Amino acid sequence: MEDLQEKISTIKGVGPKKQQRFLKLNIETLEDLLYHFPRDYEDRREIKKVRDLEDGEKTTLELQVHPLKKRRAFGRGPSLLQLIGQDDTGRIVITFFNQPYLSQKISGGMKLRIYGEIKRGPRGLETTNPDFILLDEKQNNHWQDIFPIYPLTKDISHKELVKHIKVLLESLKGKSDKNPFENLPKDLIDKNKLCQRLMALENIHFPKQAKGLKVAKYRLVYEEFFFLMVSLNFKKVKVRQQQGIPLGGEKEVQTFLQSLPFEATKAQNTVIQEVLQDLKGDIPMSRLVQGDVGSGKTVVAMAALVAAASGKTQGAMMAPTEILAKQHYETLSGFLNPLGISVGLLTGSLTAKNKKLMQEKIREGKIDVVVGTHAVIGEKVEFHNLSVVVTDEQHRFGVRQRKTLSQKGRNPHVLVMSATPIPRTLAYILYGDLEVSVIDQMPKGRKPIKTKTSPMKDRDRVYEQLKEELNKGRQAYVVCPLIDESETLDLKAAMDLHQQLGKNNLKDYKIGLLHGKMSYKEKEQVMNNFTEGELQVLVSTTVVEVGVDVPNATVMVIENAERFGLAQLHQLRGRIGRGGYQSYCYLLHQPVKEHTGKRLEIMEQTNNGFLISEKDLEIRGPGELFGLRQHGIYNLKIANFFRHQSILKKVQQDVKVLLQEDPKLILEKNKKLRRVLDQKLQRYRE
Ligand code: ADP
Ligand code: MG
C-alpha cells in the first residue's frame, strides 16, 4: 500500500520538471497516476475496408504497403515518408511526418494496421501520422484495440501517460500474489461481486472488451463512494456519542409563531416540529435546514432560539458577514424582544469597549440570544449557558468553524441553515453528520423572477430595461464577477464598472459601489444608503450574495455571468423578487461555448433552487458547488451522484452495516481499511 503513496518522481524518467507538470493534472503520487482515468475511449476494433471510407472519419484499416512511392527529407527540416496502403477494395496514401526511423522499419510488401483520420484530397483518400503496428511483429504492446483518451495538460503527452501507467500496472502485477493493493474489505467485495482493484485499474485504462470495462467502472465507482461515505459517517458516529442539553419550549414557540405578522407556511411548521423534537432529546441536535432563498428559514431559526431562551439558556446565531449579522440582529430584536427575550449583537467592528461590555453580559447570562459573525466564536467569548447554535448560510462556513462553536457550550444543539438546496439524499451524504430538514414551499404571494440571458452585444439594451425600472421608482443591483482568486483584481473590475456605468449607461442615476475591501463602516453606509433609497443602483462584487434584503430592488444585471456557477447565480438572484413587485434578472455573457450557454439557460427556465443545484452538481461536481477543496475526497473522479444512484444506495447500506458492527473500525478485519482511511483523511485533512 505504501508504495502507491510514493511521489510520481520515483518513476524513471520523471524529473522535477515533469513532476510539476503532472501536478497540473492533480497527479502527485503513484496512486494519483493510476486514478487518472481516461475521459473517453476510441474503439479501434472494427476494421474497415478502403471502399467504405468516408471523409473525416477516424478508423482502423489493415493494409499492405506498396513499394514506397516517395521518400523525401528536406535537409534539416521535417522528414517525410509517404506510402501507398492497399486492401482488396482500394488504396490510400499514408504520410508520416517527422518519424525518420520509419523508413528503416517499413518496407514494401509489409502488412500494417493503422488507425487515423481519413481525408479526401486531390490524390484521393489519405491519412497523416496514423497510429500503426506492423502486423508481422509479435511483441507489439503499443496497440490498444480500445484506446484510452486522457484528460491532458500542455506538457504531458498521451504516449507518455500510457507508457507510465502501463509500466506501473505491470510492476504491480508482479507483486500481487496476495493482492496487497486491495483496499476494500473482502466481505464487501464478495457480497457485491466486485472485481479486484488491480484488475479494475487495468481494465479502466486498457480495456480489452466492453464487459471488462463495465466491471471495472462498477468497482471503481463503488470504491469512490465507499471512501466518501465511510469518512463522512465515521464522523457522524462521534457526534452521536456526546451528551446534550434537553430543551422543551413548545408553548413559547407557539406564542412566538402567533406573534408573527404572517402565518407560517406548512413547510416551516413541519421543520419547526422536527427541530423541537430534536431539542427534547439528550443527544445534541445536528440538523441542516435547507430552503431556497426567501423560503423563510429565519423563522425556523428564531423558533429554535425561543426554545433555548424558554429553558433559561442562551442561543447564538452566526452569519457569514457583518451586514447580514446586523440584519439578523434587527429582525430578531423585532420579533423576540416583545416576548421578553434579550438579543445582543457581537461583531468584529464594535469598539473595544462595547465589545467587552457585550462579552461581559453574555458571560453573565444577561443576553439570551447573541447574534454575530465569527467574532462570536472568538476565543474571548464565554457563554453563561449556551444551548442552541444556529449558523446561517452554512456553505460559507467551514466544517471546522462549526465544530469550534459546538465546543463552546456543553455540546449545544446545532442548527445549520443553507440556501444551497440539494437533493435530500445527497445532503445526507455531503453533510453526513447532519440530519436534514427541507422547507420546500415559498410564502404566499411571491412573483417568480423573470430571468433572461443576453450576449454582451445586447448590453446597452439590457441597461435600458434596467433604467425603465429605476424610472418607476425601483432599485437595481449590478454584479461583477470574481475575476480571479485575487481580491485586488476584483476590486479593480468593480471600480471600473462603477465608473463606466456612471459615465455612460447610468449617467443620470445615483450609483453606489460595494466591495469586499471596504471597511464594515463603509459597507454599512453604502447599504444604508441603498436601503433608504438614496442610491438607486448598487454596483457590487459578490459580497451582496448572501442574505441582504431590500424589497424595492427589482432588477439585477450580472456581468460575465458565464463565470459563475449556477448555484451561485441563483443565490445572487435571490436578492431580488423579495417584495410584491415583478423582478427581472439579466445574465450578460461573453460569446460562450455551446455548453456554457445551455448552462445559463437553465436559469431562464426555473426559479427552483433544487433543480438548479442539481444541474450544477451534474455539470461541476460537489467540490465546486460547496466550495470544498478541489483536490479532496469530495472530488469524485468516476462516480456520479446522478448516474450511479443505485450503486450509491448499496454503498450507503454497506457502510451503515459496517459502522454499526465496528463504529471505530478497530476490529482486526477492518484494520487495513482503517489505515487506508486515515491515510486519505490525513491527506485531505477533512
Ligand atoms: P431565507 O430563507 O432566504 O433566509 P427569510 O427568512 O429571510 O428567507 O425570509 C424572507 C422574507 O419572507 C422575510 O421578509 C420574512 O419575513 C418573510 N416570510 C418568512 N416566512 C413567511 C411566511 N410564512 N409568510 C410570509 N412571509 C414570510
Ligand atoms: Mg436567510
Side-chain angles (χ1 to χ4, degrees):
M1 196 56 223
E2 281 74 28
D3 285 355
L4 288 184
Q5 301 310 319
E6 279 188 30
K7 294 276 181 294
I8 182 114
S9 53
T10 54
I11 294 180
K12 240 193 238 155
V14 178
K17 222 172 172 179
K18 265 280 137 90
Q19 198 177 1
Q20 284 307 313
R21 289 172 184 171
F22 270 110
L23 264 185
K24 284 198 190 136
L25 293 173
N26 276 334
I27 299 175
E28 195 179 345
T29 65
L30 298 181
E31 188 167 60
D32 296 339
L33 179 66
L34 288 179
Y35 280 73
H36 188 69
F37 300 136
R39 63 173 164 76
D40 204 355
Y41 302 87
E42 252 167 23
D43 188 343
R44 304 179 167 189
R45 283 174 300 177
E46 192 194 351
I47 296 166
K48 277 212 157 180
K49 291 292 183 191
V50 172
R51 186 182 50 207
D52 304 326
L53 293 179
E54 280 163 40
D55 191 21
E57 80 176 311
K58 286 179 108 180
T59 188
T60 309
L61 296 166
E62 280 190 3
L63 305 163
Q64 181 137 42
V65 182
H66 269 229
L68 303 183
K69 261 273 152 99
K70 284 181 217 156
R71 188 183 297 165
R72 269 194 285 150
F74 308 108
R76 265 189 261 134
S79 75
L80 175 97
L81 171 66
Q82 240 171 18
L83 314 164
I84 300 286
Q86 176 165 37
D87 65 11
D88 51 6
T89 69
R91 44 172 54 192
I92 176 169
V93 178
I94 310 168
T95 308
F96 290 103
F97 280 110
N98 260 338
Q99 304 180 55
Y101 53 92
L102 286 186
S103 55
Q104 318 286 309
K105 209 170 162 186
I106 307 176
S107 52
M110 282 183 167
K111 273 194 123 180
L112 293 187
R113 181 187 294 161
I114 66 165
Y115 180 88
E117 189 173 355
I118 309 299
K119 284 263 165 8
R120 191 174 291 282
R123 289 168 302 183
L125 293 167
E126 8 179 353
T127 182
T128 304
N129 282 347
D131 224 0
F132 77 97
I133 46 166
L134 300 174
L135 281 178
D136 318 316
E137 210 175 40
K138 281 282 168 304
Q139 71 286 32
N140 227 316
N141 67 358
H142 160 64
W143 182 270
Q144 295 292 333
D145 263 350
I146 301 176
F147 192 82
I149 310 290
Y150 291 100
L152 290 177
T153 178
K154 212 169 90 216
D155 304 305
I156 292 185
S157 76
H158 227 185
K159 268 202 177 135
E160 215 174 342
L161 264 181
V162 170
K163 187 181 86 189
H164 290 319
I165 292 172
K166 232 176 191 172
V167 170
L168 184 53
L169 281 172
E170 271 317 303
S171 76
L172 291 179
K173 227 151 100 186
K175 297 181 200 162
S176 69
D177 308 340
K178 280 193 253 129
N179 223 343
F181 300 107
E182 187 48 67
N183 59 359
L184 290 175
K186 184 170 180 319
D187 46 345
L188 292 183
I189 291 182
D190 294 346
K191 174 175 170 260
N192 293 290
K193 301 195 177 63
L194 304 175
C195 73
Q196 296 291 345
R197 188 183 186 200
L198 188 57
M199 186 183 154
L201 289 171
E202 270 183 319
N203 273 284
I204 198 84
H205 290 290
F206 309 114
K208 298 223 162 45
Q209 4 105 10
K211 179 145 184 283
L213 181 58
K214 204 171 148 199
V215 170
K217 268 192 185 155
Y218 191 93
R219 139 90 208 201
L220 292 168
V221 168
Y222 184 99
E223 178 184 320
E224 206 162 54
F225 279 146
F226 180 81
F227 284 107
L228 179 70
M229 298 294 286
V230 171
S231 51
L232 288 169
N233 287 283
F234 195 46
K235 282 193 252 166
K236 196 168 186 160
V237 172
K238 280 189 203 149
V239 176
R240 285 289 147 71
Q241 287 155 352
Q242 295 167 346
Q243 262 292 313
I245 312 145
L247 289 171
E250 277 97 340
K251 231 178 66 212
E252 288 82 352
V253 170
Q254 277 316 315
T255 310
F256 157 70
L257 289 174
Q258 270 146 27
S259 76
L260 293 174
F262 44 74
E263 202 178 330
T265 61
K266 200 161 158 248
Q268 282 170 322
N269 276 321
T270 308
V271 174
I272 289 171
Q273 283 318 311
E274 287 169 347
V275 169
L276 290 178
Q277 198 58 37
D278 282 358
L279 293 179
K280 266 196 246 169
D282 54 6
I283 299 166
M285 169 171 75
S286 233
R287 186 170 286 277
L288 171 73
V289 174
Q290 289 196 70
D292 216 337
V293 226
S295 62
K297 293 183 289 293
T298 317
V299 170
V300 174
M302 287 193 286
L305 295 169
V306 166
S310 77
K312 306 270 174 278
T313 60
Q314 291 170 301
M317 176 146 173
M318 292 168 64
T321 64
E322 295 216 23
I323 293 180
L324 204 52
K326 177 90 184 301
Q327 206 169 286
H328 278 321
Y329 168 71
E330 276 156 16
T331 309
L332 265 60
S333 304
F335 286 114
L336 302 186
N337 288 347
L339 305 174
I341 298 171
S342 59
V343 182
L345 176 67
L346 186 63
T347 62
S349 67
L350 288 182
T351 61
K353 193 174 145 222
N354 282 338
K355 203 184 281 175
K356 215 168 145 222
L357 213 67
M358 183 50 71
Q359 285 166 350
E360 219 170 86
K361 282 186 185 167
I362 296 168
R363 189 169 51 242
E364 287 166 3
K366 287 181 183 152
I367 296 283
D368 300 316
V369 172
V370 184
V371 184
T373 53
H374 308 113
V376 172
I377 56 170
E379 276 142 35
K380 294 218 186 81
V381 184
E382 277 170 51
F383 286 86
H384 184 63
N385 51 5
L386 179 66
S387 70
V388 173
V389 172
V390 180
T391 76
D392 193 15
E393 312 291 350
Q394 152 66 17
H395 65 292
R396 291 241 150 178
F397 281 108
V399 175
R400 206 165 301 139
Q401 277 164 315
R402 205 173 75 220
K403 256 189 215 147
T404 321
L405 190 57
S406 303
Q407 284 152 8
K408 286 265 149 206
R410 296 162 297 166
N411 305 319
H413 300 282
V414 175
L415 188 64
V416 173
M417 302 203 293
S418 170
T420 306
I422 46 175
R424 193 190 285 254
T425 46
L426 192 57
Y428 276 120
I429 294 156
L430 291 172
Y431 297 105
D433 54 342
L434 301 175
E435 305 296 328
V436 181
S437 294
V438 181
I439 307 182
D440 52 5
Q441 185 183 25
M442 286 289 181
K444 277 189 214 130
R446 293 272 164 83
K447 289 200 180 79
I449 300 164
K450 291 189 177 154
T451 300
K452 194 165 166 12
T453 63
S454 304
M456 279 311 247
K457 66 175 166 54
D458 294 344
R459 190 166 178 269
D460 288 344
R461 212 175 312 154
V462 164
Y463 278 102
E464 285 307 310
Q465 272 155 344
L466 179 146
K467 282 198 283 196
E468 249 174 57
E469 283 293 299
L470 297 183
N471 295 341
K472 284 189 226 159
R474 303 286 86 75
Q475 288 164 284
Y477 297 99
V478 177
V479 181
C480 54
L482 280 162
I483 304 294
D484 206 277
E485 310 274 280
S486 141
E487 275 183 39
T488 331
L489 279 180
D490 292 339
L491 179 57
K492 180 156 185 329
M495 284 162 86
D496 287 352
L497 183 65
H498 176 243
Q499 208 177 34
Q500 184 261 325
L501 288 173
K503 274 197 207 141
N504 302 316
N505 301 70
L506 302 177
K507 200 165 58 203
D508 306 319
Y509 298 84
K510 287 169 283 179
I511 317 180
L513 175 65
L514 188 72
H515 59 75
K517 280 278 170 76
M518 292 164 99
S519 74
Y520 171 64
K521 286 280 174 248
E522 289 168 325
K523 278 189 214 157
E524 196 188 27
Q525 187 61 51
V526 173
M527 273 320 293
N528 277 345
N529 290 346
F530 189 63
T531 314
E532 311 277 303
E534 281 156 40
L535 289 172
Q536 291 169 286
V537 181
L538 192 61
V539 177
S540 168
T541 54
T542 51
V543 289
V544 1
E545 183 180 342
V546 274
V548 176
D549 194 14
V550 180
N552 190 46
T554 57
V555 193
M556 175 172 281
V557 176
I558 302 181
E559 298 247 359
N560 290 102
E562 77 278 359
R563 299 211 180 131
F564 292 98
L566 296 182
Q568 201 182 9
L569 288 173
H570 182 64
Q571 279 286 312
L572 286 165
R573 184 170 64 177
R575 298 309 109 226
I576 56 174
R578 298 178 84 83
Y581 306 109
Q582 176 62 53
S583 289
Y584 306 89
C585 177
Y586 299 96
L587 305 176
L588 281 172
H589 60 81
Q590 299 288 352
V592 282
K593 285 188 217 119
E594 196 183 331
H595 77 274
T596 324
K598 282 232 176 70
R599 200 168 68 92
L600 288 180
E601 275 168 28
I602 295 164
M603 300 299 297
E604 289 181 352
Q605 291 152 11
T606 182
N607 273 302
N608 181 332
F610 280 89
L611 270 178
I612 288 169
S613 59
E614 197 165 305
K615 285 286 174 209
D616 219 16
L617 207 59
E618 233 177 282
I619 299 166
R620 308 198 308 162
E624 291 264 348
L625 183 54
F626 298 96
L628 297 164
R629 293 185 48 160
Q630 283 263 354
H631 192 95
I633 283 186
Y634 295 94
N635 184 14
L636 300 177
K637 295 194 171 112
I638 189 167
N640 177 298
F641 285 111
F642 296 93
R643 275 204 299 281
H644 303 127
Q645 283 189 29
S646 66
I647 306 181
L648 180 58
K649 283 210 184 95
K650 278 191 191 134
V651 173
Q652 253 175 318
Q653 186 56 29
D654 288 346
V655 169
K656 198 171 144 195
V657 172
L658 174 84
L659 289 178
Q660 256 163 14
E661 189 192 55
D662 186 9
K664 292 182 178 162
L665 297 178
I666 41 175
L667 293 183
E668 186 58 34
K669 65 171 183 170
N670 292 328
K671 264 206 168 131
K672 188 162 159 190
L673 172 62
R674 178 66 196 263
R675 212 168 54 231
V676 176
L677 187 67
D678 284 345
Q679 225 169 39
K680 281 187 194 283
L681 289 175
Q682 195 190 0
R683 177 158 182 202
Y684 301 126
R685 273 198 214 98
E686 283 300 333

